[in-house]
Amino acid sequence: MITTEINRTEIINQLITKLQNARLEQGLSLNQVAKRAGLDQTMVGRLEKRTRQPTIDTLLRLSDALGTDFPALLSSAISSSQRPGASLQRISSHAHQSPAPPPAPRPSPIKMTDLAANLGLSRLTVSAVLNNRHEDLRISAKTVQRVREAATRLGYVRNRLAIATKTGRTSSVGIMVSDFSSHWVSRILRGFLREARARHLLVNIEEVSGHESELTALTKFMEQRIGGIFCCNLHPAGNFPEVIAETSLRYSCPVVNSISQQSLPGLHVDSDDRDGMQQVAAHLWKLGHRKIACIGLASEPQRTAFMVQGIKNLGGDVPAEWILERQSANPEFEPKVLSLLAASNHHPTAVICATDELAAVTMRAANQAGLNVPDDLSITGFSGDRIGPLLQSRLTTVTQPFEDMGRRAAERLVASMQRIENSAETALKELLPVSLIVRESTARAMSPAR
């Protein structure tokens, strides 16, 4: 049975070859023959490429379309096979039935030329539609719809590798990020990825931690010839900022950053932290607080400086011992906050925190010190983290537009990749507005302001 099936396949291949030769001798295109036979032009193309096994009915229709003598073609095909006798009986008995198909060969990808031939259009027209250049060539809306519907129906997928080989550029971007678990990181990436999807970008994400992994990720990006790099929550040590700056220049690969080290090259898309801290300071000042402490992060000293400056702008001051900065994941930090709040003679009536997490730590320390929030102590956060509304005294905080930051970073990176922006003329920072959300963790100061 296996040998018979093999011979049957050989005979059918011989028939296809003879029909193809007849088509070429008559100077007919695939589209012309397909129309005459009432078949899909792509099907005929697959038959000639041997990527589709035809039924005898299909072969008969092609023979009629070409005006050939099918019995004569069949006899000739059998003569060319190894066992004509066994195969003749099998082929003849199925002359009006669909034979049991052999294992289906792996189909070949649909090419743009296949799509164009199927529609009877030029490859230039199809290319213009699929690359969104149809308006430049004044292609009708009806044709645009036909091309897009056919691409969907036939399963056409753009070969981005071929495009990159031809143009020397890819429509892909690389994201270098540290600490996926951070709430604000996931929100920024969500905004970036949504915009990237809308712009049909391919995205390669590398999570990094340390100089070696940063260099490895950068090398991968350059090997793939990505079009741009987005750095999110990246605070590298050593000379990596200089390395990525040199690489960006050498490979014409723009860089955009968000909540990352300021020494990194390219545009930084961040929230307006200075304005946010001024809003917090003004809010507490209006409530009568004059003894205000500041708790920040060593990794973001600029935000701590904005806290202190916001109070000074209102005519106040912050004692040096009331300015605390936590090193990353420092387990000894909470006792320092407790020591500050437990001082019997001289303690603040309000605390501005650089993050909502620090505000939660401060609220816990206040409880240990026997202080009621907000009656004895007002506390504010920063970032609009989901932890804020869950605290015992819902947190007054500044919300940062993380999704918008990611979306805007993607927009600006694409503009740089398309050379819409001149990197030499682009501002180093773009700050998006923040909002103060007042909740139960702040109240009027118990003693009148002096």
Side-chain angles (χ1 to χ4, degrees), residues 7 14 19 85 141 144 190 215 244 296 304 306 321 346 352 423 448-449:
N7 287 333
Q14 289 286 340
L19 290 171
V144 171
R190 184 186 304 135
L215 290 176
I244 192 173
T304 303
F306 291 157
E321 62 271 20
H346 186 61
I352 301 176
S423 58

Side-chain angles (χ1 to χ4, degrees), residues 270-286:
D270 290 307
S271 61
D272 194 342
D273 291 4
R274 182 194 298 272
D275 178 64
M277 288 305 176
Q278 288 177 348
Q279 291 186 51
V280 168
H283 170 67
L284 293 174
W285 198 266
K286 186 177 180 180

Side-chain angles (χ1 to χ4, degrees), residues 66-234:
L66 292 167
T68 59
D69 184 351
F70 185 76
L73 288 178
L74 179 58
S75 296
S76 177
I78 293 174
S79 299
S80 302
S81 66
Q82 294 180 349
R83 296 179 59 196
S87 298
L88 176 60
Q89 182 178 0
R90 187 172 183 87
I91 289 288
S92 300
S93 65
H94 288 74
H96 300 288
Q97 302 177 31
S98 298
R106 179 177 298 177
S108 60
I110 300 297
K111 300 178 182 178
M112 192 177 294
T113 51
D114 299 329
L115 193 58
N118 178 268
L119 293 168
L121 299 172
S122 70
R123 187 184 183 283
L124 176 63
T125 299
V126 174
S127 175
V129 173
L130 297 178
N131 290 289
N132 295 317
R133 293 184 289 103
H134 49 277
E135 293 183 357
D136 297 337
L137 299 181
R138 298 182 180 180
I139 298 173
S140 69
K142 183 178 180 180
T143 300
V144 171
Q145 183 178 359
R146 284 183 61 211
V147 172
R148 289 176 175 170
E149 288 178 350
T152 301
R153 184 180 71 255
L154 299 175
Y156 171 77
V157 178
R158 297 177 68 189
N159 188 340
R160 294 182 182 270
L161 180 60
I163 296 173
T165 302
K166 182 178 180 180
T167 64
R169 292 191 299 164
T170 68
S171 57
S172 63
V173 296
I175 298 179
M176 202 175 297
V177 59
S178 63
D179 192 9
F180 268 120
S181 62
S182 296
H183 172 59
W184 52 85
V185 170
S186 64
R187 291 177 59 187
I188 290 175
L189 290 181
R190 184 186 304 135
F192 187 96
L193 293 173
R194 285 176 177 172
E195 185 64 24
R197 188 184 307 118
R199 293 173 177 267
H200 307 291
L201 294 176
L202 298 176
V203 179
N204 186 344
I205 302 179
E206 291 285 339
E207 185 175 20
V208 297
S209 177
H211 191 64
E212 184 175 347
S213 64
E214 291 159 0
L215 290 176
T216 299
L218 182 61
T219 300
K220 285 183 179 179
F221 289 161
M222 293 305 101
E223 289 174 347
Q224 297 165 5
R225 291 297 190 270
I226 60 171
I229 298 175
F230 176 50
C231 297
C232 182
N233 194 35
L234 191 64

